[in-house]
């Protein structure tokens, strides 16, 4: 079943953030746009490149009212150790959530049950906790934070401009479309 327009699952997990261990719940993320960035495991190869890529645009996302949550099935203790030893992960300023009981990975339908790891899943939820973007990759295929930023801007534009839609590869400032009978067959 598609996750689009589904509400994020209820959760309460331990996290490593700003040098501390914290509990973060589904209630904590509501009220702002949220990106859930699932990755297979700490201390691996593609994962740090993705988390660093997202860290590089984290401030811009925050300016748009978006928080990022990195999620793996590793413990919050492992997240801290990785943050303390990896130059790439040391740049991460967003929370790293521990899904070591698989509640989030199952709830977002990205858990590889037989391995106890998550696929590379990226989900954008609006302030009400409704998923507006869902993207899932196989383990060997890295994601682009820049493209996710574009999708965030498009989702926010659509949310704030009733009746308008963003065409393929839309970038902020470009023309949008207003679906109508007049456009049928003219694009």
């Amino acid at each position: 079943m598609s996750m689009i327009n589904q509400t994020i699952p209820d959760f309460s997990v331990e996290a490593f953030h700003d040098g501390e261990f914290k509990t973060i719940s589904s209630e904590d993320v509501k009220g702002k746009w949220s990106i859930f960035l699932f990755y297979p495991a700490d201390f691996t190869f593609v994962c740090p490149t993705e988390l660093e890529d997202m860290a590089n645009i984290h401030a811009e996302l925050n300016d748009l009212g978006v928080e990022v949550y990195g999620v793996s099935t590793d413990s919050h203790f492992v997240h801290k150790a990785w943050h303390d030893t990896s130059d790439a992960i040391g740049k991460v300023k967003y929370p790293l959530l521990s899904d070591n009981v698989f509640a989030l990975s199952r709830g977002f339908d990205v858990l590889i049950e037989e391995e106890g790891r998550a696929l590379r899943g990226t989900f954008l939820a609006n302030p009400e906790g409704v998923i507006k973007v869902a993207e899932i990759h196989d383990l060997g295929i890295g994601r682009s934070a820049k493209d996710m930023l574009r999708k965030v801007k498009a989702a926010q534009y659509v949310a704030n401009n009733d009746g308008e839609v963003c065409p393929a590869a839309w970038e902020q400032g470009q023309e949008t479309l207003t679906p109508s009978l007049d456009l049928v067959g003219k694009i």
Side-chain angles (χ1 to χ4, degrees):
M1 182 172 99
S2 173
M3 296 296 295
I4 300 298
N5 292 322
Q6 300 297 313
T7 302
I8 63 170
D10 288 333
F11 68 88
S12 180
V13 297
E14 294 304 307
F16 177 71
H17 184 227
D18 286 336
E20 298 179 4
F21 295 132
K22 302 176 179 180
T23 301
I24 295 179
S25 74
S26 48
E27 289 305 309
D28 295 323
V29 305
K30 290 186 181 169
K32 61 186 169 222
W33 289 83
S34 303
I35 294 173
F36 293 87
L37 184 69
F38 287 86
Y39 61 96
D42 294 2
F43 292 100
T44 56
F45 313 102
V46 176
C47 300
T49 67
E50 292 182 313
L51 272 65
E52 181 181 26
D53 191 38
M54 191 64 75
N56 290 337
I57 66 162
H58 184 237
E60 188 173 355
L61 288 165
N62 280 171
D63 289 345
L64 294 170
V66 181
E67 183 53 88
V68 177
Y69 300 93
V71 187
S72 82
T73 58
D74 295 294
S75 74
H76 54 295
F77 301 111
V78 176
H79 291 334
K80 181 191 183 313
W82 196 28
H83 190 273
D84 291 349
T85 58
S86 167
D87 290 340
I89 301 308
K91 296 175 184 176
V92 171
K93 304 294 182 215
Y94 49 86
L96 297 176
L97 308 184
S98 171
D99 186 33
N100 58 355
V101 297
F102 311 143
L104 279 167
S105 299
R106 278 193 186 109
F108 281 89
D109 199 23
V110 294
L111 182 65
I112 306 168
E113 290 282 347
E114 58 277 3
E115 296 180 23
R117 296 187 298 160
L119 291 166
R120 296 186 192 287
T122 313
F123 301 88
L124 174 65
N126 71 11
E128 292 76 37
V130 177
I131 298 169
K132 294 299 176 179
V133 173
E135 180 178 43
I136 301 173
H137 290 217
D138 196 6
L139 299 180
I141 303 169
R143 296 162 283 186
S144 167
K146 180 182 172 189
D147 193 48
M148 188 62 201
L149 177 61
R150 183 190 69 76
K151 292 174 187 178
V152 165
K153 291 176 181 179
Q156 290 181 337
Y157 185 90
V158 168
N160 293 323
N161 293 277
D162 193 36
E164 292 184 52
V165 297
C166 296
W170 178 86
E171 296 284 345
Q172 191 171 21
Q174 292 179 336
E175 286 190 40
T176 59
L177 300 170
T178 303
S180 70
L181 187 59
D182 296 339
L183 283 183
V184 175
K186 304 225 169 116
I187 298 176

